[in-house]
């Protein structure tokens, strides 16, 4: 096989069946940043190596740091090798990919930067045949989102170059706002220069293979959907646990906290996919309408009821994987008396016919024992137990677990008879694991989402109403916490499953957190 030919990977055959996007230039604002290095460039490299990008595809990196094109290409080649753990066999691919990269250094606040960028894009249109198609990616601190959008508009870069013939899309990273008001303001600014169908608000959780498979699981199988409602489901749990602490992002986290960082976006998005009604088609508007309906149906939580439905915690010193880790308040760039939450558990209800009175328990935290994200659908117990004295009294009810990471897959826990002459019952699991069933790793979330955006498919991106609806839910909680100061903040040792109060939080309803 020639060294630069596309690789064969059975799981990627699926995405290869899709159209190849039109040739385009992708401008990454924040090209010297962590996200670009760790996620965006490796994802683009993979797409290019798989033959998923048009030959003229080009990247223009923009950041403040002065850099030469050559040095930028070298740095990005280093990132690709490091984060994809490539061997020297891939050097030819890396070198070929490097030729698609260009660099423009300037301050995002300087209008001259956009005039220069325009010139570079026009040159690429001529030289590489990118045909006027543009994808702008805002991988910058959020305070620059409005600044860049307005400058793009001012430089005449926001609208498609030839309406009806070329496209211009913009991907906006999270966080999309810090509150309902700021999210609305940002929506207003962005829609001032771009129309909604050009805007791709990214939540990388939605690009994960298992998240998409959740829709296939629910709507391509006849067997599950009839049970997917309040008659059969006792409750739903969504856990997004991280082993890492705040690392070197203390100042960001002090402003954000866990509720904004995880629950407002990733966890509420997962919730909307689990709880949505079947859309009429698998098209962006139909799917996004149903997701928005779920968010609109979440029972509002007035600030006065927050302590009954939300628990917040913060990690203190402890052992993670046998290694001693410092507490949050000792992390760099964190206030020594900080009340910022690094853990939250939320109980909510969705007020509609399908889910009336079914609790949804959401929990997420940093410095928990392991990195794991899972959705668990717990079914009601059988109405009458035949098997008394067989160990059945204490057995757990059926659970469908959708594992998003690691070891993506789906399992069903049910009861089975223990082999032997007596009637002994034990829970067993039926499991599907991506790695085992398909023999290869799925594309990363960023590969999927970048490709979708180039193909003009916004299904897995957030629409303006969904973003605002999730802030509507989160805002009163943040407001109440602000009033309370440190009151109600529970502490947990790093490496534990959250504060002891988190167990009481669910056990007072006669339920337990899933063991993950
Ligand atoms: N990192 C992740 O894993 C991750 C995951 C999900 C979402 N995100 C989101 O992605 C965005 C970027 O995150 P990040 O971690 O990559 O941030 P980062 O490492 O701090 O990078 C910020 C980038 O913005 C550039 N920049 C800042 N001020 C500038 C200015 N005045 N003019 C020109 N360039 C300027 C920096 O350039 P210089 O270095 O040259 O100053 C750098 O390239 C954030 O919104 C974040 O929330 C990140």
């Amino acid at each position: 096989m020639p060294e630069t030919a596309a690789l064969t990977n059975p799981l990627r055959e699926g995405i290869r069946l899709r159209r190849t996007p039109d040739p385009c230039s992708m401008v990454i604002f924040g090209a010297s940043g962590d996200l670009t290095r760790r996620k965006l460039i490796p994802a683009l490299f993979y797409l290019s190596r798989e033959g998923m990008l048009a030959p003229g595809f080009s990247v223009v990196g923009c950041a403040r740091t002065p850099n030469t094109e050559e040095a930028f290409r070298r740095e990005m080649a280093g990132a690709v090798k490091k984060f994809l753990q490539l061997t020297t066999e891939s050097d030819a691919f890396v070198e070929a990919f490097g030729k698609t990269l260009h660099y423009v250094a300037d301050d995002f606040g300087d209008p001259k930067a956009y005039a220069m960028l325009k010139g570079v894009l026009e040159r690429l249109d001529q030289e590489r045949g990118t045909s006027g198609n543009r994808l702008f990616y805002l991988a910058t601190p959020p305070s620059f989102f409005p600044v860049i959008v307005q400058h793009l508009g001012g430089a005449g870069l926001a609208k498609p170059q030839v309406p009806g013939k070329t496209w211009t899309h913009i991907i906006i990273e999270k966080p999309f706002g810090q509150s309902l008001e700021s999210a609305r303001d940002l929506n207003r600014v962005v829609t001032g220069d771009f129309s909604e169908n050009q805007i791709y608000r990214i939540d990388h959780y939605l690009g994960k293979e298992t998240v998409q498979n959740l829709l296939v699981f629910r709507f391509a199988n006849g067997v599950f959907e009839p049970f997917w409602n309040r008659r059969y489901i006792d409750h739903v749990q969504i856990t997004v646990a991280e082993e890492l602490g705040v690392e070197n992002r203390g100042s960001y986290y002090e402003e954000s906290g866990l509720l904004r960082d995880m629950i407002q976006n990733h966890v509420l998005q997962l919730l909307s996919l689990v709880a949505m009604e079947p859309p009429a088609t698998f098209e962006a508007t139909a799917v996004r309408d149903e997701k928005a309906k779920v968010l609109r149906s979440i029972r509002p939580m007035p600030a006065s009821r927050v302590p009954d439905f939300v628990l917040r915690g913060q990690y203190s010193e402890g052992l993670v994987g046998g290694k001693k880790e410092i507490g949050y308040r000792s992390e760099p760039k964190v206030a020594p008396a900080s009340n910022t939450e690094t853990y939250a558990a939320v109980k909510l209800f969705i007020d509609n016919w399908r889910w009336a009175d079914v609790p949804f328990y959401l929990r997420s935290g940093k410095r928990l024992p392991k990195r794991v994200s899972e959705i668990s659908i717990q079914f009601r117990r059988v109405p009458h137990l035949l098997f008394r004295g067989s160990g059945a009294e204490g057995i757990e009810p059926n659970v469908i677990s959708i594992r998003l990471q690691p070891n993506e897959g789906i399992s069903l826990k049910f009861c089975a008879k223990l082999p032997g002459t007596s009637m002994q019952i034990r829970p067993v699991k039926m499991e599907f694991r991506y790695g085992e069933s398909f023999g290869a790793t799925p594309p990363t979330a960023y590969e999927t989402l970048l490709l979708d955006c180039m193909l003009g498919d916004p299904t897995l991106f957030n629409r303006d109403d969904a973003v605002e609806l999730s802030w509507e839910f989160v805002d009163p909680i943040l407001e109440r916490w602000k009033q309370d100061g440190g009151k109600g903040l529970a502490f947990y040792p790093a490496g534990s499953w959250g504060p002891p109060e988190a167990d009481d939080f669910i056990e007072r309803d006669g339920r337990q957190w899933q063991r993950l």
Side-chain angles (χ1 to χ4, degrees):
M1 187 177 77
E3 252 197 321
T4 46
L7 297 187
T8 46
N9 172 338
L11 252 194
R12 289 164 188 273
E13 289 298 324
I15 55 172
R16 200 172 308 144
L17 291 176
R18 302 174 62 176
R19 258 182 323 127
T20 303
D22 304 323
C24 71
S25 294
M26 174 171 167
V27 179
I28 304 180
F29 292 98
S32 55
D34 179 66
L35 182 71
T36 302
R37 218 175 13 252
R38 280 195 314 117
K39 301 288 182 187
L40 303 182
I41 292 291
L44 289 170
F45 168 77
Y46 224 124
L47 289 174
S48 148
R49 189 169 83 167
E50 295 292 309
M52 303 292 304
L53 300 177
F57 175 78
S58 305
V59 173
V60 184
C62 300
R64 189 170 33 192
T65 313
N67 207 354
T68 63
E69 204 140 270
E70 230 168 75
F72 179 63
R73 288 177 177 180
R74 241 189 345 264
E75 283 160 25
M76 294 302 113
V80 165
K81 287 185 184 165
K82 177 174 171 194
F83 293 109
L84 294 177
Q85 295 173 354
L86 299 181
T87 58
T88 49
E89 273 172 42
S90 302
D91 281 355
F93 283 112
V94 177
E95 206 186 314
F97 175 69
K99 298 209 171 88
T100 66
L101 305 179
H102 308 268
Y103 189 76
V104 171
D106 212 332
D107 194 288
F108 295 149
D110 183 353
K112 282 201 309 299
Y114 300 84
M116 188 154 49
L117 177 62
K118 196 171 180 186
V120 173
L121 291 172
E122 284 167 359
R123 178 168 58 79
L124 291 174
D125 285 345
Q126 298 297 321
E127 289 176 8
R128 293 188 54 87
T130 43
S131 325
N133 296 315
R134 272 122 210 217
L135 164 55
F136 297 110
Y137 198 119
L138 307 195
T140 71
S143 55
F144 287 105
F145 297 166
V147 177
I148 296 171
V149 164
Q150 284 168 330
H151 279 301
L152 286 173
L157 285 166
K159 296 286 170 240
Q161 301 303 296
V162 187
K165 287 218 162 128
T166 64
W167 51 262
T168 297
H169 296 161
I170 184 165
I171 299 184
I172 304 177
E173 259 300 339
K174 71 160 214 181
F176 198 94
Q178 283 286 306
S179 62
L180 176 59
E181 196 189 346
S182 57
R184 279 187 180 146
D185 287 347
L186 183 55
N187 269 332
R188 253 193 304 274
V189 170
V190 183
T191 52
D193 286 294
F194 291 83
S195 52
E196 183 60 34
N197 65 8
Q198 295 178 277
I199 305 167
Y200 290 70
R201 298 171 192 80
I202 196 164
D203 181 334
H204 70 271
Y205 256 65
L206 298 182
K208 288 182 185 290
E209 197 68 14
T210 313
V211 173
Q212 296 170 69
N213 195 36
L214 174 58
L215 296 180
V216 174
F217 183 72
R218 286 190 60 193
F219 303 129
N221 296 295
V223 67
F224 304 114
E225 201 49 26
F227 303 108
W228 212 263
N229 58 53
R230 67 190 301 277
R231 271 189 82 183
Y232 301 98
I233 292 178
D234 177 75
H235 74 277
V236 176
Q237 293 184 20
I238 302 179
T239 302
V240 177
E242 290 186 278
E243 198 178 331
L244 292 177
V246 291
E247 305 294 291
N248 52 3
R249 302 179 77 212
S251 44
Y252 161 77
Y253 213 78
E254 282 284 272
E255 293 294 311
S256 158
L258 184 118
L259 201 73
R260 287 189 176 97
D261 194 43
M262 300 302 283
I263 305 272
Q264 181 272 332
N265 38 61
H266 307 319
V267 181
L268 287 181
Q269 284 299 315
L270 296 180
L271 172 90
S272 61
L273 290 169
V274 175
M276 71 195 259
E277 296 300 314
T281 61
F282 189 53
E283 274 164 15
T285 305
V287 173
R288 292 158 121 200
D289 282 350
E290 294 305 336
K291 283 173 59 196
K293 269 161 67 183
V294 172
L295 296 171
R296 206 168 281 123
S297 311
I298 297 178
R299 189 178 300 169
M301 191 181 301
S304 60
R305 299 297 310 277
V306 166
D308 300 330
F309 290 96
V310 190
L311 173 75
R312 60 178 166 147
Q314 187 188 84
Y315 64 82
S316 44
E317 184 184 291
L319 290 175
V320 184
K323 186 166 166 257
K324 193 165 168 191
E325 299 291 355
I326 55 175
Y328 176 72
R329 289 177 174 182
S330 309
E331 297 278 11
K333 299 191 186 148
V334 168
S338 170
N339 292 324
T340 302
E341 79 288 357
T342 60
Y343 175 96
V346 179
K347 173 172 141 182
L348 60 80
F349 292 94
I350 296 172
D351 286 337
N352 63 19
W353 275 56
R354 186 187 283 265
W355 296 114
D357 300 325
V358 176
F360 286 74
Y361 298 95
L362 321 176
R363 65 174 165 164
S364 180
K366 287 202 169 285
R367 283 274 185 251
L368 299 187
K370 57 177 157 177
R371 172 175 171 263
V372 55
S373 301
E374 188 165 300
I375 300 167
S376 314
I377 317 290
Q378 181 159 323
F379 288 84
R380 290 180 186 277
R381 292 177 187 277
V382 291
H384 171 63
L385 258 187
L386 305 181
F387 308 104
R388 301 221 169 268
S390 56
E393 293 82 354
I395 64 166
E396 295 157 27
N398 299 132
V399 178
I400 290 178
S401 302
I402 298 156
R403 175 66 67 100
L404 310 179
Q405 62 187 20
N407 304 325
E408 295 97 326
I410 298 178
S411 68
L412 169 65
K413 185 163 80 178
F414 61 100
C415 292
K417 181 184 169 300
L418 201 66
T421 50
S422 63
M423 179 55 87
Q424 293 288 317
I425 296 177
R426 293 289 179 273
V428 291
K429 268 190 181 175
M430 219 152 60
E431 293 217 331
F432 151 69
R433 294 272 164 240
Y434 263 90
E436 287 163 23
S437 300
F438 294 113
T441 45
T444 65
Y446 282 97
E447 286 168 48
T448 302
L449 295 172
L450 285 169
L451 197 61
D452 278 2
C453 178
M454 289 179 215
L455 288 167
D457 180 355
T459 311
L460 299 175
F461 292 81
N462 284 328
R463 208 167 53 187
D464 51 354
D465 53 350
V467 173
E468 292 184 14
L469 285 162
S470 45
W471 278 118
E472 249 171 63
F473 174 71
V474 160
D475 253 14
I477 305 175
L478 292 168
E479 192 48 43
R480 173 65 195 247
W481 287 352
K482 202 162 135 200
Q483 285 164 18
D484 283 354
K487 201 171 103 199
L489 178 69
F491 292 88
Y492 60 99
S496 67
W497 278 107
E501 289 86 340
D503 290 334
D504 307 339
F505 180 84
I506 190 165
E507 282 168 13
R508 69 186 181 218
D509 293 346
R511 302 184 173 98
Q512 288 187 325
W513 294 115
Q514 292 293 323
R515 282 189 299 275
L516 301 174

